[in-house]
Amino acid sequence: MKNERTRFLLSEEDIPRAYYNILADLPFELPPVLHPATGRPIGPEDLAPLFPMALIQQEVSREREIEIPEPVREIYRLYRPTPLIRARRLERMLDTPAHIYYKYEGVSPAGSHKLNTALAQAFYNKQEGVRGLTTETGAGQWGSALAMACRFFDLECTVFMVKISYHQKPYRRILMETFGARVIPSPSPETDAGRKVLAENPDSPGSLGIAISEAVEAAATSGGRLKYSLGSVLNHVLLHQTVIGLEAKKQMEMAGEYPDVVIGCVGGGSNFAGLALPFMRDRIVEGRPIRFVAVESTAAPSFTKGVYAYDYGDTVRTTPLLKMYTLGHTFTPAPIHAGGLRYHGMAPILCALYEKGYLEAVAYPQTKVFEAAVRFAQAEGILPAPESAHAIRAAIDEALRAKEEGRPRVILFNLSGHGHFDLAAYDQYLRGELPDYEYPAEEVLRALADLPRVPA
Amino acid sequence: MKNERTRFLLSEEDIPRAYYNILADLPFELPPVLHPATGRPIGPEDLAPLFPMALIQQEVSREREIEIPEPVREIYRLYRPTPLIRARRLERMLDTPAHIYYKYEGVSPAGSHKLNTALAQAFYNKQEGVRGLTTETGAGQWGSALAMACRFFDLECTVFMVKISYHQKPYRRILMETFGARVIPSPSPETDAGRKVLAENPDSPGSLGIAISEAVEAAATSGGRLKYSLGSVLNHVLLHQTVIGLEAKKQMEMAGEYPDVVIGCVGGGSNFAGLALPFMRDRIVEGRPIRFVAVESTAAPSFTKGVYAYDYGDTVRTTPLLKMYTLGHTFTPAPIHAGGLRYHGMAPILCALYEKGYLEAVAYPQTKVFEAAVRFAQAEGILPAPESAHAIRAAIDEALRAKEEGRPRVILFNLSGHGHFDLAAYDQYLRGELPDYEYPAEEVLRALADLPRVPA
């Protein structure tokens, strides 16, 4: 009977009470975060100008469960638990023996999973007396989420938006402004970092790395009035996203199934991690044979073409050094790239898991991704965000392999957001004007020369 | 305990199995629909060139319950039952003793309630061998819904889109095209009706009335290959929307409350009717003392400034004559008007109820509506469609009256859609560039002269 269902819904009592911290269960040590000047491991005081102490503690905590504050859970009630949906119409369209499930985070009022961590970050900052937050945004999902979270917790919000997105996605800007945020195209003349980039290249389309430099500088020079907020990559961000996977585990149980393969797109890694890490626990602790597939863009292929090395999180080299798969902190994505997934690095937790063989990675060019997006929309009705459509592409290919091999399997992927603000890219695709782009290997080699030297 | 909840969710077993037909319970007769040439009541054969027989029968049926076909229910599962949400954060912001609930139809993949009837209409047409549907759209909610429904039931879809919206809302056009629809700016050179309007005024911004003329003509001259589909006004369209109110009644029960006042915006009337009619039954049959408030725009004030008379449904006078509150079929809304709610007439069922005193009507100018929209978004996170924001405005004013009077009450309104494709209008509002517009009384008087003469 239950298996007849299309949507698996939980009630608000089922919103998780604690985030799941995989640092408690990892069978290896994560490489330490290093100070950019000294190359030595950093301590909490090094991060204090940027983050409130509660988040710094979460960044290194080994507690398996970290309680979700009640004011955050209260706002989660506006959209959580999100639905788990069986893609029955897509399955029929593909004529596959695979069962395809997706966790749909696009029901969040911000349009994506990003609100999960934005709310938590806004809460902890407010609690420690911070007046406002600065951040960067590329495609705009993160900026929208933080703008909303700041409004809910009565904080100022300043968003440095990658300039090319600022101009290509006015709707995203307006959405942030509706929630009271100040949105600045980056590189901007408002920071030393922005001025430096503009001096070298007045027509710079911007990059996440540059926008991070600006947002970090604006917080660090505010005398404590403002702090900085990051939408992916860091341990505490991935931690907050685990509500996705925790709910999905309950919902897969309702469906009477368990995933053979868990799929998510990766830019900085947080939506993939949010779904995957609670299942990764089952693999690490219980030895369940789940496959994990991280899907990236051929335009920003950190896993599939990058190197595993210490690198800066930003372009102007102000952040601590993280050991991660990186394309080099000077990376600027091709301006023809339509979706998000534009970051040069990757979440250190995922990088360590990838390096140890716990997860696979695959990269797709954007026309193949949009083809999957349109197919999915026509089957399931939901117009996916271009980022999320990378996961759809991989899920469809997995389902087609199941058909070829005549071997059923249970596929679970994260539909991390809707594409209502990305229709210009759909238009380009439908007109056959969306070009593909493969980040050239020689660019990666060139960027290696810029990697920081770190004491052995 | 239940009353502590924010969202009241039903499972897919609770999707209604039958639509509720208020024609079975109305304590009066509806005025007949008249033939535009003879002025005599029409029969089913008069409508056959435009609609499939199943819908023509529904238009006049007195059956209280009309079964929802299983293939339609199956697609409803993608988004129904929609949530009923208690606006706790808005209540706190207003400091009101009122309890405010909203039924949120924006979770539909088309972004509004319109998909409820689009699916039913596409199904019945497909069943009777029709190859494709033609329709009109203004703000684009309806066109998106029909494009999606046609894709799901493998029908062609041709949408005549009011020209000013076509240019102001490219995202809506792209969404329809993503679902395979052909979208034509109206007035167009493709029909006699369009050519006639263009000859008189090549720069016509278009109107719903003109677009209806074009869509009706395209179907009527297709030799039976295409039929026409209307997104509001008619009895069968209101019928399909009653799933909203049927679900809401169950959900109010879960909340342990019953509405004192039910509010919805009205353009053609279908979203308001969808929520209200199942509650109207309780008032008519059980004598429950519920108030009903229909909220319109001062730019298209059919109820508050129109006359109750027979009029054409379209500008070029090809449709049957409906007795309704009308601004005259030559009505063209001011191009400065940002939202939907641009129709000159109103659903005959609602008009009769209004005339008999079963419902109240109120009109708001758009700046007051957008002020409420932004307030709501900042409280509840959801960015409402400008249409739906008319209902929010009335709900907020009702809640503020409750506070003034010190008398609590239960308010229920229909949040019929999200505003993700309406951000240009939000931008105008935030910049203080959104003008108000009051439709002049003398224009209504002038239009009266154009009303058809009907035999007594």
Side-chain angles (χ1 to χ4, degrees), chain B residues 169-189:
Chain B
K169 300 193 162 191
Y171 277 28
R172 277 283 176 198
R173 167 186 59 76
I174 303 165
L175 184 62
M176 291 184 260
E177 289 175 348
T178 300
F179 285 86
R182 186 165 162 249
V183 186
I184 302 164
S186 164
S188 84

PDB file of all heavy atoms in Angstrom, chain B residues 169-189:
ATOM      1  N   LYS B 169       6.832  39.689 -19.347  1.00  0.00           N
ATOM      2  CA  LYS B 169       7.058  38.460 -18.593  1.00  0.00           C
ATOM      3  C   LYS B 169       7.647  37.350 -19.459  1.00  0.00           C
ATOM      4  O   LYS B 169       7.017  36.305 -19.661  1.00  0.00           O
ATOM      5  CB  LYS B 169       5.730  37.977 -18.006  1.00  0.00           C
ATOM      6  CG  LYS B 169       5.092  38.988 -17.078  1.00  0.00           C
ATOM      7  CD  LYS B 169       3.972  38.345 -16.301  1.00  0.00           C
ATOM      8  CE  LYS B 169       3.636  39.199 -15.098  1.00  0.00           C
ATOM      9  NZ  LYS B 169       2.749  38.512 -14.172  1.00  0.00           N
ATOM     10  N   PRO B 170       8.868  37.574 -19.958  1.00  0.00           N
ATOM     11  CA  PRO B 170       9.465  36.550 -20.822  1.00  0.00           C
ATOM     12  C   PRO B 170       9.603  35.202 -20.114  1.00  0.00           C
ATOM     13  O   PRO B 170       9.528  34.161 -20.748  1.00  0.00           O
ATOM     14  CB  PRO B 170      10.838  37.147 -21.171  1.00  0.00           C
ATOM     15  CG  PRO B 170      11.109  38.169 -20.119  1.00  0.00           C
ATOM     16  CD  PRO B 170       9.768  38.709 -19.738  1.00  0.00           C
ATOM     17  N   TYR B 171       9.781  35.223 -18.781  1.00  0.00           N
ATOM     18  CA  TYR B 171       9.966  33.962 -18.064  1.00  0.00           C
ATOM     19  C   TYR B 171       8.727  33.078 -18.187  1.00  0.00           C
ATOM     20  O   TYR B 171       8.823  31.862 -18.276  1.00  0.00           O
ATOM     21  CB  TYR B 171      10.283  34.215 -16.592  1.00  0.00           C
ATOM     22  CG  TYR B 171      11.746  34.506 -16.329  1.00  0.00           C
ATOM     23  CD1 TYR B 171      12.551  35.079 -17.312  1.00  0.00           C
ATOM     24  CD2 TYR B 171      12.324  34.194 -15.102  1.00  0.00           C
ATOM     25  CE1 TYR B 171      13.891  35.343 -17.067  1.00  0.00           C
ATOM     26  CE2 TYR B 171      13.666  34.454 -14.853  1.00  0.00           C
ATOM     27  CZ  TYR B 171      14.442  35.029 -15.842  1.00  0.00           C
ATOM     28  OH  TYR B 171      15.774  35.276 -15.594  1.00  0.00           O
ATOM     29  N   ARG B 172       7.559  33.723 -18.156  1.00  0.00           N
ATOM     30  CA  ARG B 172       6.322  32.945 -18.289  1.00  0.00           C
ATOM     31  C   ARG B 172       6.260  32.283 -19.662  1.00  0.00           C
ATOM     32  O   ARG B 172       5.871  31.140 -19.808  1.00  0.00           O
ATOM     33  CB  ARG B 172       5.111  33.851 -18.102  1.00  0.00           C
ATOM     34  CG  ARG B 172       4.756  34.070 -16.661  1.00  0.00           C
ATOM     35  CD  ARG B 172       4.039  32.831 -16.128  1.00  0.00           C
ATOM     36  NE  ARG B 172       3.774  32.969 -14.710  1.00  0.00           N
ATOM     37  CZ  ARG B 172       3.488  31.946 -13.921  1.00  0.00           C
ATOM     38  NH1 ARG B 172       3.438  30.712 -14.392  1.00  0.00           N
ATOM     39  NH2 ARG B 172       3.253  32.133 -12.652  1.00  0.00           N
ATOM     40  N   ARG B 173       6.639  33.052 -20.687  1.00  0.00           N
ATOM     41  CA  ARG B 173       6.652  32.488 -22.038  1.00  0.00           C
ATOM     42  C   ARG B 173       7.609  31.296 -22.102  1.00  0.00           C
ATOM     43  O   ARG B 173       7.254  30.222 -22.611  1.00  0.00           O
ATOM     44  CB  ARG B 173       7.099  33.553 -23.045  1.00  0.00           C
ATOM     45  CG  ARG B 173       7.449  32.950 -24.415  1.00  0.00           C
ATOM     46  CD  ARG B 173       8.035  33.939 -25.418  1.00  0.00           C
ATOM     47  NE  ARG B 173       9.269  34.614 -25.020  1.00  0.00           N
ATOM     48  CZ  ARG B 173      10.485  34.069 -25.022  1.00  0.00           C
ATOM     49  NH1 ARG B 173      10.652  32.814 -25.385  1.00  0.00           N
ATOM     50  NH2 ARG B 173      11.554  34.766 -24.645  1.00  0.00           N
ATOM     51  N   ILE B 174       8.810  31.462 -21.545  1.00  0.00           N
ATOM     52  CA  ILE B 174       9.806  30.389 -21.619  1.00  0.00           C
ATOM     53  C   ILE B 174       9.294  29.150 -20.886  1.00  0.00           C
ATOM     54  O   ILE B 174       9.481  28.016 -21.333  1.00  0.00           O
ATOM     55  CB  ILE B 174      11.154  30.853 -21.026  1.00  0.00           C
ATOM     56  CG1 ILE B 174      11.653  32.102 -21.750  1.00  0.00           C
ATOM     57  CG2 ILE B 174      12.179  29.739 -21.098  1.00  0.00           C
ATOM     58  CD1 ILE B 174      12.772  32.842 -21.006  1.00  0.00           C
ATOM     59  N   LEU B 175       8.646  29.361 -19.746  1.00  0.00           N
ATOM     60  CA  LEU B 175       8.110  28.224 -18.994  1.00  0.00           C
ATOM     61  C   LEU B 175       7.124  27.441 -19.865  1.00  0.00           C
ATOM     62  O   LEU B 175       7.187  26.217 -19.959  1.00  0.00           O
ATOM     63  CB  LEU B 175       7.431  28.723 -17.716  1.00  0.00           C
ATOM     64  CG  LEU B 175       6.909  27.643 -16.776  1.00  0.00           C
ATOM     65  CD1 LEU B 175       8.038  26.754 -16.259  1.00  0.00           C
ATOM     66  CD2 LEU B 175       6.172  28.259 -15.583  1.00  0.00           C
ATOM     67  N   MET B 176       6.230  28.171 -20.528  1.00  0.00           N
ATOM     68  CA  MET B 176       5.257  27.486 -21.397  1.00  0.00           C
ATOM     69  C   MET B 176       5.967  26.756 -22.529  1.00  0.00           C
ATOM     70  O   MET B 176       5.625  25.625 -22.873  1.00  0.00           O
ATOM     71  CB  MET B 176       4.252  28.504 -21.947  1.00  0.00           C
ATOM     72  CG  MET B 176       3.332  29.062 -20.870  1.00  0.00           C
ATOM     73  SD  MET B 176       2.068  30.196 -21.532  1.00  0.00           S
ATOM     74  CE  MET B 176       2.806  31.787 -21.151  1.00  0.00           C
ATOM     75  N   GLU B 177       6.982  27.389 -23.098  1.00  0.00           N
ATOM     76  CA  GLU B 177       7.716  26.758 -24.204  1.00  0.00           C
ATOM     77  C   GLU B 177       8.481  25.527 -23.732  1.00  0.00           C
ATOM     78  O   GLU B 177       8.616  24.555 -24.465  1.00  0.00           O
ATOM     79  CB  GLU B 177       8.660  27.780 -24.863  1.00  0.00           C
ATOM     80  CG  GLU B 177       7.891  28.842 -25.664  1.00  0.00           C
ATOM     81  CD  GLU B 177       8.780  29.944 -26.234  1.00  0.00           C
ATOM     82  OE1 GLU B 177       9.968  30.031 -25.826  1.00  0.00           O
ATOM     83  OE2 GLU B 177       8.294  30.725 -27.053  1.00  0.00           O
ATOM     84  N   THR B 178       8.963  25.578 -22.503  1.00  0.00           N
ATOM     85  CA  THR B 178       9.666  24.415 -21.957  1.00  0.00           C
ATOM     86  C   THR B 178       8.730  23.207 -21.918  1.00  0.00           C
ATOM     87  O   THR B 178       9.160  22.062 -22.052  1.00  0.00           O
ATOM     88  CB  THR B 178      10.201  24.728 -20.547  1.00  0.00           C
ATOM     89  OG1 THR B 178      11.096  25.835 -20.630  1.00  0.00           O
ATOM     90  CG2 THR B 178      10.947  23.542 -19.952  1.00  0.00           C
ATOM     91  N   PHE B 179       7.445  23.483 -21.737  1.00  0.00           N
ATOM     92  CA  PHE B 179       6.481  22.391 -21.723  1.00  0.00           C
ATOM     93  C   PHE B 179       5.895  22.156 -23.118  1.00  0.00           C
ATOM     94  O   PHE B 179       4.894  21.463 -23.269  1.00  0.00           O
ATOM     95  CB  PHE B 179       5.403  22.642 -20.672  1.00  0.00           C
ATOM     96  CG  PHE B 179       5.929  22.383 -19.293  1.00  0.00           C
ATOM     97  CD1 PHE B 179       6.590  23.370 -18.583  1.00  0.00           C
ATOM     98  CD2 PHE B 179       5.835  21.124 -18.736  1.00  0.00           C
ATOM     99  CE1 PHE B 179       7.126  23.116 -17.334  1.00  0.00           C
ATOM    100  CE2 PHE B 179       6.364  20.848 -17.493  1.00  0.00           C
ATOM    101  CZ  PHE B 179       7.011  21.856 -16.792  1.00  0.00           C
ATOM    102  N   GLY B 180       6.519  22.752 -24.118  1.00  0.00           N
ATOM    103  CA  GLY B 180       6.166  22.413 -25.495  1.00  0.00           C
ATOM    104  C   GLY B 180       5.055  23.240 -26.107  1.00  0.00           C
ATOM    105  O   GLY B 180       4.602  22.948 -27.221  1.00  0.00           O
ATOM    106  N   ALA B 181       4.580  24.277 -25.405  1.00  0.00           N
ATOM    107  CA  ALA B 181       3.486  25.081 -25.955  1.00  0.00           C
ATOM    108  C   ALA B 181       4.001  26.075 -26.991  1.00  0.00           C
ATOM    109  O   ALA B 181       5.166  26.471 -26.957  1.00  0.00           O
ATOM    110  CB  ALA B 181       2.771  25.835 -24.837  1.00  0.00           C
ATOM    111  N   ARG B 182       3.109  26.474 -27.914  1.00  0.00           N
ATOM    112  CA  ARG B 182       3.391  27.560 -28.837  1.00  0.00           C
ATOM    113  C   ARG B 182       2.740  28.806 -28.247  1.00  0.00           C
ATOM    114  O   ARG B 182       1.549  28.813 -27.959  1.00  0.00           O
ATOM    115  CB  ARG B 182       2.791  27.212 -30.192  1.00  0.00           C
ATOM    116  CG  ARG B 182       3.153  28.196 -31.266  1.00  0.00           C
ATOM    117  CD  ARG B 182       2.854  27.636 -32.656  1.00  0.00           C
ATOM    118  NE  ARG B 182       2.815  28.776 -33.559  1.00  0.00           N
ATOM    119  CZ  ARG B 182       1.730  29.233 -34.161  1.00  0.00           C
ATOM    120  NH1 ARG B 182       0.569  28.614 -34.021  1.00  0.00           N
ATOM    121  NH2 ARG B 182       1.793  30.307 -34.931  1.00  0.00           N
ATOM    122  N   VAL B 183       3.527  29.865 -28.065  1.00  0.00           N
ATOM    123  CA  VAL B 183       3.028  31.075 -27.411  1.00  0.00           C
ATOM    124  C   VAL B 183       3.047  32.230 -28.412  1.00  0.00           C
ATOM    125  O   VAL B 183       4.083  32.516 -29.005  1.00  0.00           O
ATOM    126  CB  VAL B 183       3.879  31.432 -26.175  1.00  0.00           C
ATOM    127  CG1 VAL B 183       3.270  32.608 -25.427  1.00  0.00           C
ATOM    128  CG2 VAL B 183       4.027  30.220 -25.261  1.00  0.00           C
ATOM    129  N   ILE B 184       1.885  32.852 -28.593  1.00  0.00           N
ATOM    130  CA  ILE B 184       1.726  33.889 -29.615  1.00  0.00           C
ATOM    131  C   ILE B 184       1.275  35.181 -28.941  1.00  0.00           C
ATOM    132  O   ILE B 184       0.272  35.190 -28.225  1.00  0.00           O
ATOM    133  CB  ILE B 184       0.649  33.460 -30.632  1.00  0.00           C
ATOM    134  CG1 ILE B 184       1.044  32.126 -31.271  1.00  0.00           C
ATOM    135  CG2 ILE B 184       0.428  34.543 -31.686  1.00  0.00           C
ATOM    136  CD1 ILE B 184      -0.108  31.440 -31.979  1.00  0.00           C
ATOM    137  N   PRO B 185       2.022  36.297 -29.176  1.00  0.00           N
ATOM    138  CA  PRO B 185       1.579  37.563 -28.570  1.00  0.00           C
ATOM    139  C   PRO B 185       0.263  38.019 -29.218  1.00  0.00           C
ATOM    140  O   PRO B 185       0.140  37.978 -30.446  1.00  0.00           O
ATOM    141  CB  PRO B 185       2.712  38.535 -28.877  1.00  0.00           C
ATOM    142  CG  PRO B 185       3.523  37.911 -29.959  1.00  0.00           C
ATOM    143  CD  PRO B 185       3.270  36.445 -29.932  1.00  0.00           C
ATOM    144  N   SER B 186      -0.693  38.442 -28.390  1.00  0.00           N
ATOM    145  CA  SER B 186      -2.024  38.819 -28.879  1.00  0.00           C
ATOM    146  C   SER B 186      -2.291  40.287 -28.589  1.00  0.00           C
ATOM    147  O   SER B 186      -2.001  40.754 -27.489  1.00  0.00           O
ATOM    148  CB  SER B 186      -3.080  37.937 -28.191  1.00  0.00           C
ATOM    149  OG  SER B 186      -4.369  38.506 -28.342  1.00  0.00           O
ATOM    150  N   PRO B 187      -2.851  41.057 -29.522  1.00  0.00           N
ATOM    151  CA  PRO B 187      -3.413  40.652 -30.813  1.00  0.00           C
ATOM    152  C   PRO B 187      -2.342  40.209 -31.809  1.00  0.00           C
ATOM    153  O   PRO B 187      -1.273  40.811 -31.866  1.00  0.00           O
ATOM    154  CB  PRO B 187      -4.123  41.913 -31.301  1.00  0.00           C
ATOM    155  CG  PRO B 187      -3.463  43.047 -30.574  1.00  0.00           C
ATOM    156  CD  PRO B 187      -3.066  42.494 -29.247  1.00  0.00           C
ATOM    157  N   SER B 188      -2.677  39.163 -32.573  1.00  0.00           N
ATOM    158  CA  SER B 188      -1.739  38.590 -33.535  1.00  0.00           C
ATOM    159  C   SER B 188      -2.331  38.640 -34.934  1.00  0.00           C
ATOM    160  O   SER B 188      -3.549  38.757 -35.095  1.00  0.00           O
ATOM    161  CB  SER B 188      -1.479  37.127 -33.164  1.00  0.00           C
ATOM    162  OG  SER B 188      -2.505  36.306 -33.704  1.00  0.00           O
ATOM    163  N   PRO B 189      -1.478  38.528 -35.957  1.00  0.00           N
ATOM    164  CA  PRO B 189      -2.006  38.474 -37.329  1.00  0.00           C
ATOM    165  C   PRO B 189      -2.516  37.080 -37.695  1.00  0.00           C
ATOM    166  O   PRO B 189      -2.878  36.851 -38.834  1.00  0.00           O
ATOM    167  CB  PRO B 189      -0.781  38.866 -38.165  1.00  0.00           C
ATOM    168  CG  PRO B 189       0.404  38.596 -37.314  1.00  0.00           C
ATOM    169  CD  PRO B 189      -0.031  38.591 -35.889  1.00  0.00           C
TER     170      PRO B 189
END
